[in-house]
Amino acid sequence: MIVEVVGGADERPEARVVDVDNLARVHLALGQVTDEEAAEALERAGLGKIQDGDTASVDVAALHAAAEPRATTSQWQSEWDAMIATARSQGWLSADGASLQIPVESAAGA
């Protein structure tokens, strides 16, 4: 699953959740946007915030709400549950289970 922030000079950057059926890996992909634009777009969408250049914190409930309606596999919820369990075991989930730490990847040349 990818949380991406895309935009350009003539448009307002937006955050969206794509590749929702691939729960093997979750990351934040930044298009050609500034760090400030990315942070603003994530917060405006209610998806989370950028902690530093390498890590973002996403809201688990918001991520689920954005992804689940577009899922196309019948086992999506069980795969989601397994992903959250793995995140918890790896220390990527907050103690209260509300936020998930994910890596940030910038587009080449951004």
Side-chain angles (χ1 to χ4, degrees), residues 16-85:
R16 58 187 178 205
V17 181
V18 298
D19 199 17
V20 299
D21 289 330
N22 181 1
L23 297 174
R25 181 168 184 264
V26 180
H27 67 281
L28 173 64
L30 301 181
Q32 293 189 0
V33 296
T34 66
D35 291 346
E36 293 80 21
E37 288 171 330
E40 181 183 311
L42 269 181
E43 290 181 30
R44 188 173 56 245
L47 287 170
K49 61 184 180 178
I50 296 177
Q51 291 186 316
D52 56 43
D54 298 322
T55 309
S57 176
V58 295
D59 181 282
V60 172
L63 184 61
H64 186 276
E68 191 270 336
R70 295 195 339 261
T72 62
T73 64
S74 61
Q75 67 274 19
W76 189 87
Q77 185 61 52
S78 63
E79 291 176 7
W80 169 271
D81 293 341
M83 179 200 63
I84 294 298

